[in-house]
Amino acid sequence: MKSKGVNIKSLTKIYSGNNNEFKAVDNISVDIKAGEFVTLLGPSGCGKTTTLRMVAGFEVPTSGDIYLGGDVINDLTPDKRDTSMVFQSYALFPHYNIYDNIAYGLKLKKMDKGTIKDKVNSIIELVGLTGMENRYPNQLSGGQQQRVALARALVMEPGVLLFDEPLSNLDAKLRVYMRTEIRKIQKKVGITAIYVTHDQSEAMSLSDRIIIMNKGIIEQVGTPKEIYYTPRTEFVADFIGTANFIMGKILEVKNDKATIEIEGQKIEVNYNGTKKAGEECKVVLRPEAVTIARDGIIDVDVLLSTFMGSYQDYIVKTKNAEIKIEDNNPQGREVFKEGDKVKIAFSPLNVHII
């Protein structure tokens, strides 16, 4: 299976009607390397599905170009593009058994029966459906149907595999299992994958890189770690995980470091932005990065204390802000209750200036 890179250049999609124009995708550019697993992530209406559909050929760009393996594919119909799509609804043929569902695209290509049999059996084994070849879609669980849809796309040996929210119809436990399976198969085959979801944990667990979209534009592209620990904007920080936003003031900027004041404390943090000494800033502090105890650096009042199993969930109030804390594995430590006056602390490594 020969994977191909995807290059999106100044891509725009405008929908017109009733004297109104809606810019679903607004002049985005991104390069996806061959063999990479990239996820388009964002809320409903952010442009991620429209972008995927333009790559697949189901939507025509208003302007801009899409390159697949170095060739512009804007004018190619979906069947002429070296891509395969795994749909949200699976889109299996109910009157075909599993073998024939998977073999359908190969038969359209008029391959000989022997080649088809070899390819289909190989893919059936890869996705873990051996022994189910003669069953029909209505005899399969949701997870098994999803495997058939994946096998049908993979058997075509496309340069790029496209996923349109493929796990949204599955229950929570099966979603976690299937995303692990999809990633395992993608790595084994080495295929380029572009995956659309609004589920942040899905994006974090699957992706080499994540493209965060909002209102038709790209807010940030990066690895899951980069997106989580060094978000470029408040939107990204808020969309990925849970974030505390605290106002501060920059006192000094020097050699990729900034000395800032937050909640009356001076701390030095990593910084390569454009703000200067004297300017106000907003910092991100993740809930799991804050410790709560009798000793610490900032006085707080406990507003809420909730046992969540693997962690104790707190909301505390400082002089100027409310801060959410996830105190992981609290068993054996003092658990504070509403009304307690305690202290919090955190490492400067966990403070990020937006």
Side-chain angles (χ1 to χ4, degrees), residues 126-338:
L126 179 71
V127 300
L129 289 171
T130 304
M132 299 186 186
E133 296 86 345
N134 295 317
R135 293 190 191 180
Y136 287 82
N138 66 354
Q139 298 173 307
L140 302 181
S141 68
Q144 289 166 338
Q145 288 183 42
Q146 184 58 76
R147 286 169 186 271
V148 177
L150 180 58
R152 188 179 57 186
L154 282 169
V155 80
M156 301 304 292
E157 299 181 356
V160 180
L161 192 55
L162 308 173
F163 293 90
D164 184 15
E165 304 212 31
L167 305 183
S168 56
N169 291 335
L170 304 179
D171 64 62
K173 209 167 186 178
L174 190 54
R175 284 182 77 151
V176 172
Y177 175 72
M178 279 307 298
R179 73 190 187 205
T180 306
E181 289 298 294
I182 285 173
R183 182 59 163 148
K184 197 161 67 180
I185 291 165
Q186 183 267 338
K187 277 186 169 177
K188 190 170 183 179
V189 176
I191 194 169
T192 309
I194 305 175
Y195 191 101
V196 162
T197 185
H198 60 269
D199 185 317
Q200 50 183 271
S201 57
E202 219 166 85
M204 295 285 274
S205 65
L206 281 166
S207 314
D208 293 311
R209 286 190 302 154
I210 299 172
I211 299 167
I212 304 270
M213 293 190 70
N214 179 31
K215 296 178 181 173
I217 65 163
I218 292 175
E219 292 262 348
Q220 186 170 350
V221 181
T223 66
K225 274 189 177 177
E226 287 166 348
I227 296 280
Y228 189 78
Y229 288 124
T230 56
R232 281 195 199 143
T233 65
E234 188 171 338
F235 174 84
V236 173
D238 199 35
F239 194 79
I240 291 281
T242 308
N244 294 301
F245 298 103
I246 306 169
M247 292 307 298
K249 187 174 184 180
I250 295 182
L251 304 176
E252 184 185 29
V253 179
K254 192 176 180 182
N255 300 333
D256 293 334
K257 298 278 185 184
T259 304
I260 62 173
E261 184 180 345
I262 52 172
E263 297 296 329
Q265 301 294 318
K266 289 182 184 178
I267 57 172
E268 187 180 67
V269 301
N270 294 323
Y271 185 59
N272 58 5
T274 57
K275 288 185 179 290
K276 296 179 173 59
E279 290 189 57
E280 285 197 337
C281 64
K282 189 175 279 188
V283 304
V284 179
L285 186 62
R286 297 290 184 183
E288 70 276 9
V290 186
T291 59
I292 182 168
R294 295 291 176 188
D295 298 317
I297 59 171
I298 297 173
D299 292 315
V300 298
D301 296 322
V302 178
L303 299 183
L304 183 73
S305 177
T306 311
F307 177 65
M308 299 297 291
S310 61
Y311 64 94
Q312 189 75 18
D313 194 17
Y314 292 103
I315 296 176
V316 300
K317 184 162 179 41
T318 68
K319 195 181 291 185
N320 303 305
E322 288 186 6
I323 294 175
K324 182 177 168 63
I325 301 168
E326 290 179 7
D327 186 21
N328 291 307
N329 193 20
Q331 193 170 20
R333 289 200 300 279
E334 184 176 5
V335 173
F336 304 105
K337 59 185 187 298
E338 286 91 344

Side-chain angles (χ1 to χ4, degrees), residues 12 29 46 50 54 92 106 120 124 137 175 193 199 299 336:
T12 296
S29 297
C46 72
T50 304
M54 284 192 282
L92 303 179
L106 300 178
V120 172
I124 282 175
R175 284 182 77 151
D199 185 317
D299 292 315
F336 304 105

Side-chain angles (χ1 to χ4, degrees), residues 48-86:
K48 58 188 186 296
T49 299
T50 304
T51 301
L52 189 80
R53 288 176 63 82
M54 284 192 282
V55 174
F58 301 132
E59 296 281 357
V60 179
T62 305
S63 61
D65 292 308
I66 303 164
Y67 295 80
L68 184 60
D71 299 320
V72 179
I73 59 170
N74 292 34
D75 296 331
L76 298 181
T77 54
D79 58 307
K80 296 289 190 292
R81 300 188 183 200
D82 194 9
T83 61
S84 282
M85 177 87 89
V86 180

